[in-house]
Amino acid sequence: MEFTCGKTHSQLGGVYVLRRHISFSILSLLFLSGFFTCNLNAQVSQKPLALGIPQTPSLVGDTSTLAREAQGWLVELVKINTTNPPGNEQVAAKYIAGILAKEGIAADTLDLAPGRSAVVARMRSSAVADPSKALLLVAHMDVVGVDRSKWSVDPFGGVVKDGYLWGRGSIDDKSMLAANLAAFIALKRGGVHLNRDVIFLGTADEEQFGDASIKMVIAKYWDKIAAGYALNEGGKAVLGKDGKMQYVAVQVSEKVSVNVTLTVTGKGGHASTPTKDNPVVHLAAAVDKIGSYNTPVHLTSVVRRYFEALAPLEDEETSKWMRVIDTSDRGEHAQRFLAETNPMWNSMMRDTIAPTILQAGFRGNVIPSEAHAVLNIRLLPGDTIDVLVNELKKLVNDPQVHFEIAPEGGLAAPNSSLENNFFSLITRVCAQEFGGVPVIPFMSTGATDSAQLRLHNVQAYGLRPFPINETDDARVHGDEERLPLASLPKGVDLMVRIVAEFSASR
Ligand SMILES: [Zn+2]
């Protein structure tokens, strides 16, 4: 069903059945994409835009008007402070419902907790929905908190300055909300005849994964979002130091976050007469052993594919080791080299354990009777927490230290397929949008809403359609988060095209 080189123009012309005929509407030009695919290299202009993003002619007509509107929505969304906790996503949900209402699309706000709602809207393909075919566009409305003293602008001011939109959520994840809205609205404005339902979903409580999260939406409102496919955050469009697009990573899998609490009890008492069972000493020794422990490397199929595809893009030394990561003679050295080169690569190869909280004592001259530490563990999908905790118990080898696995940890989900038509389509359209760069399957070390969807048989793929360099990427969840404005039209164009090509009748 996909466009391939070799089809004639006229064969492609009847692909989309439009309810209305709007000449030069964004989507009525979609049929040209198959034709242009064959000539992609010839079309790519080398003339750089601001920030060095290569100019690639849109294959679906002009989405620049939508991109300008999306920028306006994004500015307004950043101004709605949805710091979680407490979230207050209901305000953002209502704002989004208002945008959709202006387009004649009815949206539901789904109440999850006081002040906290998700927002959902559906474009129907037929009177009887087939959830197994439906496409869900997901983005979360909540954001992590800020340390205002570290920001040069108001993080909730929607400030546009020096070619950037500054603000908490400008990348994570309100940019995706705006791009999803644009793609959804493009279908409506284009009067596209759909081959599947397309569902827009703005989620709450993604950053804390608590009682107002997608878990609750699935539990209470599954019929409103049931889908076979989803697009969500979790991937990357990576800009190099030279300002050129390097590659697109499509998230198909993610690590699983679990907290484990260590508790040490002892006699406690006057600090002038210390004894050997001081809980502070036992806890410190346990954390030290755990902190310097390297869990065994386990290369998942997705991670193997990732290194294989990334190798040609890296410098000679890194590339050499990536190519032999799985060999019996040089694999071990390669794994060590890559783990030391990049903490994300390290985390992609093994379960990681990060001690994050230490709690003990209340007076300088009193030995406390209890001490606690929290370990944040990120498991590779397929690994189990019980097995790892048993290993840690053996390592610590101290009967005074007790381990407790937090019950609300994430659940491992199966990978999304690398073989289905949707993944092929995403790969092809991303490559077209960004001048033929490699499109690489990716396992994120962080968690997203996609795991919950994958557990419900949804083939969920993580993108971040906006080309962003390492420096700006590092600002996500940090200080001075900002989206390069030049990346916005590319992101919107990409999302419009993926969604339209996948869901338009042909
Ligand atoms: Zn996010």
Side-chain angles (χ1 to χ4, degrees):
M1 294 299 285
E2 287 157 44
F3 295 142
T4 51
C5 296
K7 283 186 181 175
T8 64
H9 194 160
S10 62
Q11 277 175 303
L12 295 161
V15 158
Y16 293 93
V17 182
L18 301 183
R19 277 195 226 115
R20 291 182 273 139
H21 294 281
I22 307 169
S23 55
F24 298 109
S25 78
I26 294 158
L27 292 152
S28 65
L29 289 171
L30 256 174
F31 70 88
L32 291 172
S33 62
F35 174 74
F36 280 132
T37 305
C38 314
N39 300 306
L40 179 69
N41 292 334
Q43 284 183 68
V44 175
S45 158
Q46 294 309 309
K47 194 175 148 214
L49 285 174
L51 297 175
I53 296 166
Q55 194 175 36
T56 311
S58 168
L59 307 182
V60 294
D62 185 7
T63 53
S64 58
T65 306
L66 259 177
R68 274 193 298 278
E69 290 173 84
Q71 185 178 323
W73 303 329
L74 179 51
V75 167
E76 293 308 313
L77 283 164
V78 167
K79 285 185 190 168
I80 300 170
N81 185 342
T82 51
T83 300
N84 182 12
N88 283 327
E89 298 92 341
Q90 200 168 68
V91 185
K94 285 185 175 158
Y95 171 70
I96 289 168
I99 293 169
L100 292 170
K102 279 187 208 143
E103 303 292 327
I105 302 167
D108 281 343
T109 49
L110 311 176
D111 293 338
L112 303 164
R116 313 194 76 169
S117 310
V119 57
V120 66
R122 178 182 294 262
M123 216 95 73
R124 288 189 183 280
S125 57
S126 64
V128 186
D130 177 355
S132 70
K133 283 184 71 184
L135 171 63
L136 182 67
L137 308 177
V138 192
H140 64 89
M141 299 182 288
D142 59 319
V143 295
V144 292
V146 294
D147 175 354
R148 279 183 190 259
S149 70
K150 303 269 173 58
W151 287 67
S152 63
V153 297
D154 177 358
F156 302 101
V159 176
V160 173
K161 193 178 74 143
D162 305 332
Y164 294 91
L165 167 61
W166 302 71
R168 176 58 86 226
S170 57
I171 294 179
D172 182 14
D173 187 29
K174 290 176 172 174
S175 59
M176 194 78 183
L177 272 173
N180 283 353
L181 265 176
F184 195 65
I185 286 170
L187 298 176
K188 171 76 174 177
R189 289 187 189 168
V192 176
H193 196 136
L194 299 173
N195 64 11
R196 65 187 77 243
D197 284 12
V198 180
I199 306 160
F200 175 92
L201 174 66
T203 60
D205 205 9
E206 191 274 343
E207 298 291 1
Q208 297 273 319
F209 196 53
D211 289 342
S213 73
I214 194 164
K215 259 188 309 192
M216 188 60 82
V217 177
I218 289 171
K220 279 177 80 174
Y221 303 106
W222 174 245
D223 58 320
K224 289 190 185 285
I225 66 159
Y229 304 90
L231 288 172
N232 187 19
E233 64 173 344
K236 288 169 196 273
V238 180
L239 270 188
K241 286 198 178 77
D242 56 4
K244 290 204 183 109
M245 265 298 294
Q246 285 194 312
Y247 65 93
V248 176
V250 181
Q251 190 241 43
V252 296
S253 164
E254 60 185 55
K255 291 187 84 178
V256 182
S257 176
V258 186
N259 283 340
V260 171
T261 303
L262 305 186
T263 301
V264 186
T265 47
K267 203 152 52 47
H270 204 291
S272 64
T273 51
T275 57
K276 293 251 181 264
D277 81 345
N278 184 340
V280 175
V281 176
H282 284 256
L283 184 72
V287 169
D288 181 44
K289 281 182 189 165
I290 291 169
S292 46
Y293 173 62
N294 268 333
T295 57
V297 166
H298 164 201
L299 298 172
T300 68
S301 58
V302 172
V303 171
R304 277 201 192 95
R305 284 274 293 265
Y306 169 82
F307 283 123
E308 204 179 284
L310 198 60
L313 304 173
E314 292 294 327
D315 62 64
E316 210 179 310
E317 176 79 352
T318 310
S319 169
K320 178 182 81 185
W321 292 117
M322 278 185 178
R323 289 175 207 273
V324 297
I325 192 169
D326 214 7
T327 57
S328 55
D329 52 342
R330 291 195 291 165
E332 219 178 291
H333 186 91
Q335 291 155 12
R336 203 175 318 121
F337 174 86
L338 295 172
E340 283 165 10
T341 303
N342 183 330
M344 188 183 76
W345 292 341
N346 176 53
S347 181
M348 289 174 80
M349 293 190 286
R350 51 164 51 97
D351 301 332
T352 58
I353 308 156
T356 49
I357 298 177
L358 284 175
Q359 279 173 330
F362 55 95
R363 288 250 190 324
N365 60 357
V366 176
I367 296 168
S369 59
E370 232 175 79
H372 305 271
V374 175
L375 311 174
N376 183 249
I377 294 180
R378 301 290 170 132
L379 293 172
L380 293 168
D383 288 355
T384 46
I385 189 65
D386 293 335
V387 172
L388 179 57
V389 166
N390 277 337
E391 282 304 308
L392 296 182
K393 282 180 183 168
K394 276 190 237 158
L395 176 79
V396 167
N397 191 24
D398 182 345
Q400 238 177 289
V401 181
H402 296 277
F403 289 73
E404 194 184 340
I405 301 166
E408 73 278 11
L411 292 170
N415 298 340
S416 294
S417 170
L418 305 181
E419 311 300 333
N420 64 27
N421 286 345
F422 190 38
F423 184 70
S424 314
L425 185 149
I426 292 169
T427 304
R428 176 172 52 80
V429 177
C430 286
Q432 287 169 347
E433 185 76 36
F434 296 118
V437 296
V439 181
I440 298 175
F442 176 62
M443 179 190 70
S444 64
T445 53
T448 70
D449 283 337
S450 290
Q452 289 295 310
L453 294 169
R454 292 186 183 116
L455 283 166
H456 288 78
N457 292 323
V458 182
Q459 294 292 311
Y461 297 93
L463 294 172
R464 187 167 65 201
F466 311 99
I468 284 166
N469 63 26
E470 229 175 73
T471 317
D472 287 331
D473 197 4
R475 293 164 182 252
V476 172
H477 282 218
D479 305 322
E480 307 251 65
E481 182 178 351
R482 62 183 194 181
L483 180 79
L485 290 175
S487 73
L488 215 135
K490 296 299 285 182
V492 167
D493 197 59
L494 179 66
M495 293 307 290
V496 169
R497 290 177 45 212
I498 291 174
V499 172
E501 287 207 25
F502 189 55
S503 57
S505 287
R506 39 189 82 189

